[in-house]
Amino acid sequence: MSRAGKIARRTFLIGSAAIAGGVAFGVVMYKRPHENPLLSGLAEGEAALTPYVRITPQGITLITPRADLGQGAYNVQALLIAEELDVALDQVDVDPGPPSPAYYNTALSHDSAPFASTDDSFLAKTTRAVLDAPMKFLGIQITGGSTTVPDGWEKLRHAGAVARETLKAAAASQTGVNTAELRTENGAVILPDGTRLPYTDLAAAAAQIAPVEDVALRDPADWRLIGQDMQRLDIVAKSTGTQAYGIDTRLDGMLHAAVRTNPRQGGAMRSHDAAQAETMRGVHRIVLITGGVGVLADNTWRAMQAVNAIGIDWDSDATYPANMEAHWQALSDSFTEANRDSRFRDDGDVGTALQGTDTVQAEYRAPYLAHAPLEPVNATVLVTDTRVDVWTGTQIPRFVQQNVADITGHDTDDVHVHVQMMGGSFGHRLEDTVVRQAAELALAVKGTPVKLTLSREEDMAHDYPRQIAMARGRGAVANGQVTACDLGIAMPSVITSQMGRQGLPIAGPDLQIVAGAWDQPFAIPDYRVTGYRAKGLAPVSSWRSVGASSNGFFHDSFLDELIHAAGADPLEERLRLCTHAPSRKVLEAVGDMSNWGARLPQGKGRGVAYCLSFGTPCAEVVEVTDTPGGLRIDKVFVAAEVGRIVDPVNFENQVQGGVIWGLGHAIMAEITYADGQAEQRNFDSFPFMRLYQCPDITVRGLENADTVRGVGEPPVPPAAPALANAIFAATGKRLREMPFSKHMDFV
């Protein structure tokens, strides 16, 4: 699409509910209102049977457009295509493909409207279909929201089946054998006499016929790959140190770059003195960029040393409160009707229920958190008069393509984004600031590739962190049961902040403010959840599990307090209140796994928590020991309902990683601001859970639901409340603020 013909996205109004994340329902076939991007540039004898399968005489390539951030996305996408295509994974190459609207993510639009994510009524399904429209129309190609498997579950299998049946049709046209007498096996069409016709030999013939669109997906009894333990495609490379990431990009004649921009987000540079930097060894050029300055040098270290030698006078005014006390005050002041963003949950009559009773009240806090992926953030850009090439890890390739085109003045079709494997993201690669900076630098030296690598300090100073949040709960109990719950949550709008940086104005409420709270399947008679939008705070972005990352802690912690006040068993009361059958099974499973109800020795405690997020019910039990040196986390039990486990080994790894991520940040991590600047700039001040602190984690995946869910993010929200509830059981101390290390020691 040329610049003249592109959608005017900067003025296109999108309701935030349509892009807030979720899970997939229904069938989305490969044939979309967008062209197959693989058809461009095919040589004679090559075939692009769908946007996901390219076959040449030399080999088979499967296109896996959802980015691999370390979560195994390339492997699972290839697996789904290969299952129906009848190829082994060691027979194919995997490629993320070009940015294209054909790879839009329908699953991001689901579970985002004001109805329960477990609702499969006609109205719910119709609403989901309506929400698909902007995703298709704009061609939103994004990786996130635990949507890789839900989005691809039928789409990718269908693409593989179309390719398989088209190859059979090509074989029939060549041999005269009826397609009904043909079968496929291990990358070949098999004739009745056993003759094998490799797919690669059929590419030229397949390219000449229309794809066979009327195909049936195979019966689960015939699956060869789905649900089987297997080794991921990237494991050998990662185990041997040979996996290439974006930071490994090497091009002839490449210059290396480092930048400094105002440590107050969005601030300007008043002046600079680069006299010393210009004389330093290896320095090629000093370049002004938006908000700061960059250095081009012959290696990264010299570029970083030189940019730090530049004297800079920064604009000293931040657009948000300078210090943390004011941030928390802004949240506290947001609990007003004027700041109300949503109230999707309002059962019974909470106001009347909480009048004249002894209410349980509590306030909770969750801090800003950095993404801090292990691979330093980087991008390599080459600008010429006729095209731009970008090598980077990104979850938003089409936004990158458009934004680079805006900077360089090229047509979007002339910006080629080569998506790289990423060493972590956790939402960081949903931003593209580093690519924009690299494009500005490369534009200054046309014809020379420029690789920009951010220092850890520069990255963390300018990271758009996880939202800060506060919650206030009021509730009542009677006759040993929870009878009323009123939860108010205040936080800045993640979606407005994030999409605003992409030029997309947002209308309507931001579901992330109440995600993981309003949609919990508990039948409390008087039950209300209200979201309040806090304004004027630091810019924020999606962080693993987004709003649910803090709301899971708020909602389940307060529910646990109410259950304790009622004198009920924490697991039994959750089960009594739960109205969603798959969620009940998740709670029952985690109770069975942890031997819930068994007596624990003095000083030990057990806590349970549950959260439905991204359509996936997940429950966790944490066991802890209160030792003289501090609290020790001993065991974690996790049960999650995903409908279908595609890759059991990776499923277990994803759940375990989510638990460690959630626990580690709950215990010890936060980003704080002083004088408008983030105070934590490296891992020494922003610590993670260490190996010796990791508990034993037992995982059970359930397959009782009729829809397929993702699991990358759902294990995170229950981790913090399960730990807090266990700490209360062991010590009698309620922790209502993260990080917990502010209030107790951990070993």
Side-chain angles (χ1 to χ4, degrees):
M1 183 184 296
S2 68
R3 287 168 59 81
K6 71 178 185 292
I7 296 170
R9 66 181 177 85
R10 300 191 186 283
T11 58
F12 193 88
L13 200 63
I14 300 177
S16 60
I19 55 176
V23 299
F25 290 80
V27 180
V28 183
M29 299 305 187
Y30 84 94
K31 187 176 181 181
R32 304 176 179 79
H34 303 292
E35 294 181 359
N36 181 349
L38 304 183
L39 293 175
S40 176
L42 284 179
E44 186 175 351
E46 299 180 348
L49 303 181
T50 78
Y52 300 95
V53 181
R54 181 172 61 232
I55 301 179
T56 73
Q58 289 72 44
I60 302 169
T61 300
L62 306 183
I63 305 301
T64 54
R66 298 293 169 260
D68 200 309
L69 325 167
Q71 84 281 35
Y74 289 164
N75 187 82
V76 74
Q77 291 172 91
L79 182 158
L80 291 172
I81 301 170
E83 182 66 78
E84 292 290 339
L85 184 56
D86 253 352
V87 292
L89 292 181
D90 60 5
Q91 289 181 292
V92 301
D93 293 321
V94 172
D95 190 297
S100 171
Y103 302 124
Y104 70 91
N105 189 337
T106 302
L108 277 173
S109 66
H110 298 143
D111 246 14
S112 303
F115 53 76
S117 60
T118 56
D119 184 0
D120 282 320
S121 67
F122 174 78
L123 176 61
K125 292 177 180 178
T126 301
T127 306
R128 294 184 188 112
V130 171
L131 289 176
D132 286 346
M135 310 304 291
K136 297 177 183 178
F137 180 64
L138 291 178
I140 301 293
Q141 182 183 353
I142 296 181
T143 302
S146 291
T147 58
T148 293
V149 171
D151 179 63
W153 171 244
E154 297 208 19
K155 182 189 299 182
L156 297 182
R157 288 189 296 139
H158 187 269
V162 167
R164 180 193 71 227
E165 295 304 313
T166 303
L167 288 162
K168 286 169 65 177
S173 68
Q174 279 191 348
T175 64
V177 178
N178 191 291
T179 55
E181 299 180 64
L182 302 176
R183 62 185 179 88
T184 57
E185 180 183 82
N186 213 27
V189 176
I190 313 299
L191 301 183
D193 63 3
T195 301
R196 298 176 59 85
L197 300 178
Y199 290 166
T200 50
D201 292 350
L202 295 169
Q208 302 304 313
I209 63 177
V212 178
E213 300 179 23
D214 186 14
V215 298
L217 299 181
R218 289 182 166 166
D219 188 280
D222 298 325
W223 285 344
R224 304 165 297 110
L225 302 174
I226 295 174
Q228 303 301 311
D229 289 347
M230 66 187 67
Q231 178 176 282
R232 256 170 46 182
L233 291 170
D234 56 352
I235 290 302
V236 171
K238 288 182 175 179
S239 300
T240 57
T242 58
Q243 176 65 58
Y245 297 88
I247 200 169
D248 298 312
T249 301
R250 298 287 187 273
L251 300 173
D252 291 341
M254 182 171 68
L255 289 173
H256 299 260
V259 298
R260 282 175 66 199
T261 56
N262 195 319
R264 300 171 186 85
Q265 289 277 35
M269 182 176 69
R270 292 172 177 167
S271 64
H272 75 289
D273 180 2
Q276 179 183 352
E278 289 172 339
T279 65
M280 295 176 70
R281 183 182 179 188
V283 171
H284 177 82
R285 188 168 177 178
I286 310 296
V287 180
L288 296 181
I289 63 171
T290 301
V293 63
V295 170
L296 303 179
D298 59 3
N299 66 42
T300 297
W301 174 250
R302 288 173 181 167
M304 289 181 177
Q305 291 296 100
V307 82
N308 287 332
I310 298 175
I312 301 178
D313 180 20
W314 300 116
D315 186 342
S316 60
D317 294 327
T319 59
Y320 45 86
N323 300 299
M324 286 311 300
E325 183 179 355
H327 285 251
W328 290 115
Q329 188 61 51
L331 284 173
S332 181
D333 293 342
S334 296
F335 289 93
T336 67
E337 194 62 26
N339 292 305
R340 192 171 101 179
D341 185 79
S342 67
R343 181 174 284 165
F344 297 140
R345 186 67 171 265
D346 192 2
D347 301 345
D349 187 347
V350 171
T352 299
L354 295 179
Q355 286 180 358
T357 65
D358 293 330
T359 60
V360 178
Q361 300 187 45
E363 180 178 282
Y364 302 88
R365 296 185 175 194
Y368 292 113
L369 289 171
H371 297 87
L374 189 59
E375 179 194 6
V377 177
N378 61 87
T380 302
V381 179
L382 171 60
V383 179
T384 68
D385 289 335
T386 58
R387 63 181 283 156
V388 182
D389 287 274
V390 179
W391 294 265
T392 194
T394 181
Q395 297 169 247
I396 51 170
R398 291 199 69 221
F399 285 116
V400 166
Q401 185 182 45
Q402 182 63 64
N403 292 329
V404 170
D406 290 345
I407 291 168
T408 64
H410 290 71
D411 288 346
T412 53
D413 287 344
D414 294 326
V415 177
H416 303 270
V417 180
H418 312 279
V419 178
Q420 305 294 295
M421 180 76 79
M422 285 158 265
S425 172
F426 318 110
H428 200 317
R429 299 294 192 156
L430 287 165
E431 304 289 342
D432 63 350
T433 302
V434 68
V435 185
R436 301 189 201 201
Q437 293 172 337
E440 290 187 64
L441 295 168
L443 187 62
V445 288
K446 273 189 177 182
T448 301
V450 172
K451 178 180 176 181
L452 171 60
T453 305
L454 298 188
S455 67
R456 184 69 60 187
E457 290 76 13
E458 183 71 15
D459 175 34
M460 289 187 66
H462 299 92
D463 183 26
Y464 300 107
R466 198 266 310 259
Q467 72 283 347
I468 191 173
M470 179 183 291
R472 291 174 178 167
R474 297 172 63 238
V477 300
N479 302 318
Q481 298 180 347
V482 176
T483 59
C485 177
D486 185 16
L487 187 66
I489 301 168
M491 68 173 68
S493 171
V494 176
I495 301 303
T496 298
S497 182
Q498 186 173 354
M499 290 296 102
R501 288 187 288 277
Q502 297 298 339
L504 290 173
I506 303 300
D510 181 357
L511 193 66
Q512 291 304 325
I513 293 176
V514 291
W518 78 275
D519 49 358
Q520 303 309 288
F522 295 120
I524 300 172
D526 298 293
Y527 193 8
R528 183 167 68 191
V529 177
T530 308
Y532 299 92
R533 185 176 297 209
K535 300 174 182 177
L537 295 175
V540 292
S541 186
S542 295
W543 187 92
R544 191 173 184 179
S545 71
V546 204
S549 67
S550 50
N551 293 342
F553 170 60
F554 298 156
H555 184 276
D556 197 273
S557 292
F558 187 55
L559 179 60
D560 203 73
E561 292 205 42
L562 291 172
I563 292 172
H564 176 73
D569 178 84
L571 179 59
E572 292 302 320
E573 181 65 356
R574 283 174 173 82
L575 282 167
R576 186 190 70 81
L577 293 170
C578 186
T579 59
H580 181 228
S583 294
R584 286 184 57 85
K585 291 183 181 298
V586 163
L587 285 164
E588 290 168 349
V590 83
D592 174 67
M593 295 163 66
S594 63
N595 195 22
W596 185 271
R599 293 181 62 86
L600 293 175
Q602 184 71 25
K604 287 185 174 289
R606 183 189 290 124
V608 62
Y610 163 92
C611 186
L612 172 68
S613 65
F614 302 91
T616 299
C618 185
E620 300 177 18
V621 168
V622 172
E623 290 187 4
V624 301
T625 301
D626 188 20
T627 77
L631 194 94
R632 184 182 69 237
I633 307 175
D634 299 317
K635 298 178 181 179
V636 179
F637 302 91
V638 192
E641 169 61 71
V642 292
R644 176 70 69 175
I645 299 172
V646 177
D647 182 346
V649 175
N650 200 45
F651 171 87
E652 183 179 40
N653 291 340
Q654 281 288 288
V655 173
Q656 291 172 332
V659 169
I660 292 170
W661 179 261
L663 292 177
H665 285 87
I667 291 170
M668 61 190 75
E670 66 177 335
I671 292 292
T672 57
Y673 290 91
D675 191 24
Q677 304 178 46
E679 294 185 285
Q680 295 75 22
R681 301 290 183 88
N682 212 318
F683 293 131
D684 60 335
S685 55
F686 191 78
F688 291 159
M689 178 175 277
R690 301 287 181 157
L691 185 61
Y692 68 85
Q693 295 175 305
C694 288
D696 179 67
I697 304 173
T698 303
V699 176
R700 183 182 296 179
L702 306 184
E703 299 178 290
N704 298 307
D706 58 359
T707 50
V708 176
R709 313 287 189 176
V711 78
E713 302 184 83
V716 176
L723 174 57
N725 297 339
I727 290 171
F728 175 74
T731 69
K733 186 174 185 177
R734 280 285 181 193
L735 300 185
R736 301 188 179 103
E737 179 184 21
M738 297 187 284
F740 297 156
S741 57
K742 284 186 172 182
H743 307 284
M744 66 186 311
D745 295 326
F746 290 81
V747 296

